[in-house]
Structures are given as C-alpha cells and as structure tokens.
Amino acid sequence: MPAPAELRIFDTATELFRNAAHEFVTLASQTVENKGRFCVALSGGSTPKNLYTLLAGEQAKAVPWDKSYFFFGDERHVPPDDPDSNYRMVNEAMFSKVPVPPGNVFRIHAEKDAAVAAQEYEETLRSFFDLQPNQLPRFDLILLGVGPDGHTASLFPDSAALNENKRLVVATWVEKLKTYRITFTFPVLNHAACVMFLASGADKAGIVHEVLENPNANLPSQKVHPDDGRLVWLVDHAAGGLLRRAG
Ligand code: 6PG
C-alpha cells in the first residue's frame, strides 16, 4: 500500500526552496553513505530553478557532486541550447557552477527525433542501472512539478503516455502545445525511493487543491504514488492556500 503523501506548507517561497535544498542535500549525503552513489531525476519548468540555484550556491559544499548522478524526468523536444530546454535551465542554474563530473550528467538528446531520443534515453537508464528486461530503475529521488492542468513530468491529461506500463521513457505528442515531449512513464516514477513535488505561487493553489484533496479529479499528478517509497509535497502558503490543512 503506497505511503500517504508527506505535505509540508511553508510561509514563503524562500523557506520552501531552502527546505527543499536541505531535503535534497540530506537525502544525497545519506544515500551516498549507504549506497556509495545518489541517483536523482530532475524536473524542468520554472519552479525548481530556485532549488538548483541554492544547490549551486549556499548548499554547494554539502552536495556530494562526484557521487551524484543526474537524469531528467522529462524534456521538451528542443536542442540543449534552446531557451525552452530543461537541460539548458539546469545547466545555467547549477551544473555550470559546481564540480559535477560531466559523465555524471545524463541529458535527454531532445535535438533528435523524439521517438529516437526516448528510446536512447531508455537504453541509457537500462545500462546505467544494469536492468534485466522487466526490471525498473529505482531512483533515490525524483523531483516533479505540477502543471495547471494537473500534468507532471510530461504526462499530460488524455495522453497515451498515461497508460504506458512497459516502456521507461516515451515520446508523447502534446496537442495543446503542438509539440512532442520526452518523458519518464509512471512505472519509473512509482518505483522511486522518494518522489518530491514542488509547487510555489498562488497560480498553483487551485491545482494543488485538486490533486491533493479531490480524489475524483483523475489527474496525472494523482497517479504518482511510489509503491515502496516516500511521496513528498513541498509547497509554499500561496500554492497551498486552498488546502484544508492550510487553515
Ligand atoms: C516541464 C516540467 C513540467 C513542469 C510543470 C510545472 O518540462 O515543464 O517537467 O512537468 O514541472 O509544467 O511547470 P512550472 O514549474 O513552470 O509551473
């Protein structure tokens, strides 16, 4: 039975990202101590940039960069230097400023055909985690955001990718954005040791309330429940303002 979500509501966005950075560093250090390496999948969009900036700044000395391996939960179908690229965002906010070995960063080659990029990234996961045919990779941490329509990673409402239960990574056409995205599938998300959602700002209050307090909403973000891991929601008061718990 999946564990209930751990929900923490912070008064300000600054507190939210400080605590998210602390959670990240604590998990990375403990995991490296226990297993010798820390494997994390990063989220894109605008919300996590503040976290990456803190990890590259005030927390940089606390992150075991040489024993941390960075993947992406999804990517836009653009080259790595495109303003829309999740890789570009993380590289500018973090990778370019910290002593992470280049071989520890696994970006999605989204400059290629989307289906080819997805297949290649699946193969990268299979070889990095040394998986048997029906085995799933177990990330120590997967960071996620939530979109205004309840999507997470690039698992959008009504997309075929929602029902994928064999592939680890797929290319998915997003009609409303008229573009492909490359994304982890639910089996990968739900096999993680810890999944951490970040949500900040009043424009997220409605969807955060729907996802966490409307069991009938049937939103992609609601399908994220690690089978044997933690589900953590870190939100600021503006994003959590409609939650019963926000009081
Ligand atoms: C992406 C993300 C996506 C994001 C949400 C929220 O590539 O865009 O992976 O799932 O987390 O769309 O985006 P914001 O943080 O920009 O609101």
Side-chain angles (χ1 to χ4, degrees), residues 43-48 74 76 86 144-147 151-154 181 204:
S43 62
S46 56
T47 302
D74 74 321
R76 291 86 181 273
N86 286 337
L144 291 175
V146 56
H151 79 261
T152 191
S154 283
R181 290 278 188 98
K204 290 288 172 71

Side-chain angles (χ1 to χ4, degrees), residues 67-89:
K67 294 193 174 59
S68 297
Y69 296 85
F70 297 89
F71 293 79
F72 286 79
D74 74 321
E75 185 57 281
R76 291 86 181 273
H77 193 212
V78 293
D81 57 356
D82 188 284
D84 264 357
S85 164
N86 286 337
Y87 169 76
R88 175 176 165 174
M89 180 270 287

